[in-house]
Amino acid sequence: ILDIKLIHGKRSTIKCPDGYTKINKDLNEGSSGSYIYACKKEGIGSFGVNAIGIAKNIETCEDIFPRSNPEDPIGRFRKLPIDLNQGTRMDGWNPTKMYMCLNIKDKDFITDIEINNDNTWQKDGYSNVKITGSTDEAIDLNEGTDGKPLYMYTSNNKLDTNPVDTAFFYDKELYFFMNGTSYYTFNKGKVSEV
């Protein structure tokens, strides 16, 4: 997964931007708030989403991804601007502001995202998105709202890549053809857009 964007609207039929695929689970499911969906951009690239975290209230993305090894490169953090609990404030409920943070790196990309209502869901190779990188506590994306509990899980070892139909080297670039209609080029360590 090269990138993730969030979209929101008054209807569940809201569309993702071109080049992105909708993860068909409302991130405000069962609540009084806006429909919010995550859109993922898949493909081959030099940089991609290495980890997802959730910043609560005034936390920053840097608070979410502590470095376990001081020699490990940090990556680039990006806080997505849409509150996952947008529009859910109502009498009797005090929703936490939650923002999705992406850690963008040049290796170990997330390859799949699963969103469901079970905080004990387990599937080989998947781990839950946590409050911080140092705790095992799964985070309810609808915390403090009138919505159903909602949890996100990611995998970085599930591979659903398209097989290469053919590849060849021409004019200082390596070309990869996939599905007979798409191709990528590789030159000096950089992968082109599809």
Side-chain angles (χ1 to χ4, degrees):
I1 295 177
L2 301 178
D3 192 24
I4 296 173
K5 291 185 185 240
L6 295 177
I7 55 173
H8 65 95
K10 294 180 180 182
R11 292 188 167 66
S12 62
T13 55
I14 187 168
K15 305 268 188 227
C16 288
D18 287 343
Y20 287 77
T21 305
K22 187 178 190 179
I23 299 172
N24 208 15
K25 185 75 165 171
D26 178 12
L27 297 177
N28 252 344
E29 183 179 46
S31 77
S32 56
S34 303
Y35 287 96
I36 298 176
Y37 292 94
C39 300
K40 60 184 178 178
K41 181 177 185 179
E42 297 178 298
I44 297 173
S46 299
F47 291 91
V49 179
N50 169 268
I52 298 172
I54 304 298
K56 294 171 71 174
N57 293 319
I58 59 170
E59 287 178 316
T60 67
C61 290
E62 288 78 5
D63 297 330
I64 304 304
F65 300 110
R67 290 171 72 181
S68 55
N69 178 357
E71 296 178 15
D72 185 30
I74 295 176
R76 297 186 320 237
F77 301 123
R78 192 166 84 234
K79 189 175 187 178
L80 302 184
I82 296 174
D83 176 8
L84 296 176
N85 288 331
Q86 182 171 307
T88 58
R89 185 164 302 281
M90 58 187 288
D91 289 344
W93 299 97
N94 188 20
T96 304
K97 287 189 177 291
M98 292 193 188
Y99 295 91
M100 190 179 292
C101 289
L102 307 179
N103 189 0
I104 308 296
K105 285 190 176 181
D106 62 355
K107 62 181 181 177
D108 301 327
F109 303 167
I110 289 174
T111 56
D112 193 35
I113 298 172
E114 177 75 28
I115 302 170
N116 64 52
N117 304 99
D118 184 0
N119 69 342
T120 61
W121 182 84
Q122 292 182 355
K123 189 172 180 181
D124 198 29
Y126 285 77
S127 59
N128 54 3
V129 171
K130 300 176 173 104
I131 296 172
T132 71
S134 61
T135 179
D136 286 332
E137 183 182 350
I139 185 166
D140 175 6
L141 300 179
N142 275 336
E143 183 179 304
T145 74
D146 56 337
K148 296 178 181 179
L150 199 61
Y151 303 91
M152 181 181 289
Y153 301 86
T154 62
S155 173
N156 64 357
N157 61 13
K158 180 183 178 215
L159 296 176
D160 273 345
T161 58
N162 296 322
V164 174
D165 290 334
T166 190
F168 62 89
F169 187 77
Y170 176 73
D171 196 25
K172 299 182 182 177
E173 287 189 318
L174 187 56
Y175 288 78
F176 296 95
F177 283 82
M178 301 170 170
N179 295 334
T181 59
S182 303
Y183 75 92
Y184 301 88
T185 62
F186 184 81
N187 186 353
K188 295 180 184 175
K190 302 281 186 209
V191 178
S192 71
E193 292 290 321
V194 64

